Amino acid sequence: MLQTTSLPRPDADIPHADGVSNDEFRAALARLAAGVVLVTAHDPEDGPRGEDVGMTATAFMSVSLDPPLVMVSVRNESRMDDVLERQPLWGVSVLSQSQRHIAGRFAMKGRVSDRLLFEDIPYERGAETGAPLVGGALSVLQCRTEQRVTAGDHTLVIGRVLTAANPSAEGGPLLYFRGKYGKLD
């Protein structure tokens, strides 16, 4: 006899698990090492020439090889969420361990403008997306949003990779572990 399990409706409110606090959840997942990327886009609606925006992310992953898809998680109602909701073209720079200062700079909360954050960082503008791609990054991707999925207090942005390049082979990846940036030993 075939046994089926009924799952809750996707739109049903599911309460937070009993016994799991936000602090416990954060502490447990802080032990998962993650690579660090800078997600960027050009916001054409900000000012007469537009403005470049960037966000440090550790929740970034490959989704599919055929077609080539990646996913980044952005906090709902953040500046990057607002921009990526109306601007489907964006870039990703996989940061090297020597680019820790870039990760820290773009991880600051509550900033009004990103204009000064890009000021002394070498970058090229992606030909396909117009997004800033950081010089010295281990790899750079240019993407077009294919799908947005709301997941709790974040939105999962799935993008088709339009171009991929490995401009730098020097150094190892920048990692994030236990709330700190680090490197492979």
Side-chain angles (χ1 to χ4, degrees):
M1 179 173 169
L2 182 63
Q3 193 173 30
T4 61
T5 305
S6 68
L7 298 173
R9 293 186 338 264
D11 60 342
D13 288 333
I14 300 173
H16 198 40
D18 290 335
V20 179
S21 72
N22 289 346
D23 289 341
E24 290 168 328
F25 181 68
R26 276 191 202 103
L29 291 185
R31 293 172 184 249
L32 175 65
V36 182
V37 301
L38 183 67
V39 177
T40 57
H42 182 74
D43 183 1
E45 296 181 18
D46 191 347
R49 293 184 308 243
E51 184 176 20
D52 294 327
V53 296
M55 175 195 88
T56 301
T58 56
F60 175 79
M61 63 183 279
S62 168
V63 174
S64 169
L65 184 60
D66 187 18
L69 300 174
V70 293
M71 186 220 56
V72 64
S73 179
V74 298
R75 187 173 33 84
N76 292 344
E77 300 177 16
S78 66
R79 175 91 191 276
M80 187 57 76
D81 183 41
D82 292 342
V83 170
L84 292 183
E85 189 169 27
R86 63 181 188 274
Q87 167 57 286
L89 301 173
W90 43 283
V92 177
S93 299
V94 177
L95 300 180
S96 71
Q97 57 196 16
S98 67
Q99 295 175 313
R100 178 180 181 169
H101 65 287
I102 295 172
R105 181 182 291 190
F106 285 91
M108 293 186 304
K109 294 180 182 167
R111 60 187 192 272
V112 176
S113 171
D114 286 6
R115 187 168 284 120
L116 295 176
L117 299 180
F118 283 100
E119 200 166 84
D120 62 347
I121 295 173
Y123 68 86
E124 293 183 10
R125 196 162 296 284
E128 299 290 324
T129 62
L133 302 171
V134 176
L138 296 177
S139 63
V140 292
L141 307 169
Q142 293 185 74
C143 306
R144 181 186 66 236
T145 300
E146 295 279 310
Q147 188 175 2
R148 292 173 52 88
V149 179
T150 301
D153 60 0
H154 278 64
T155 297
L156 308 178
V157 181
I158 299 169
R160 181 180 296 255
V161 177
L162 304 173
T163 67
N166 302 312
S168 177
E170 294 186 28
L174 180 62
L175 298 177
Y176 194 69
F177 181 69
R178 289 190 174 175
K180 297 178 184 174
Y181 296 113
K183 60 184 181 176
L184 292 174
D185 291 330

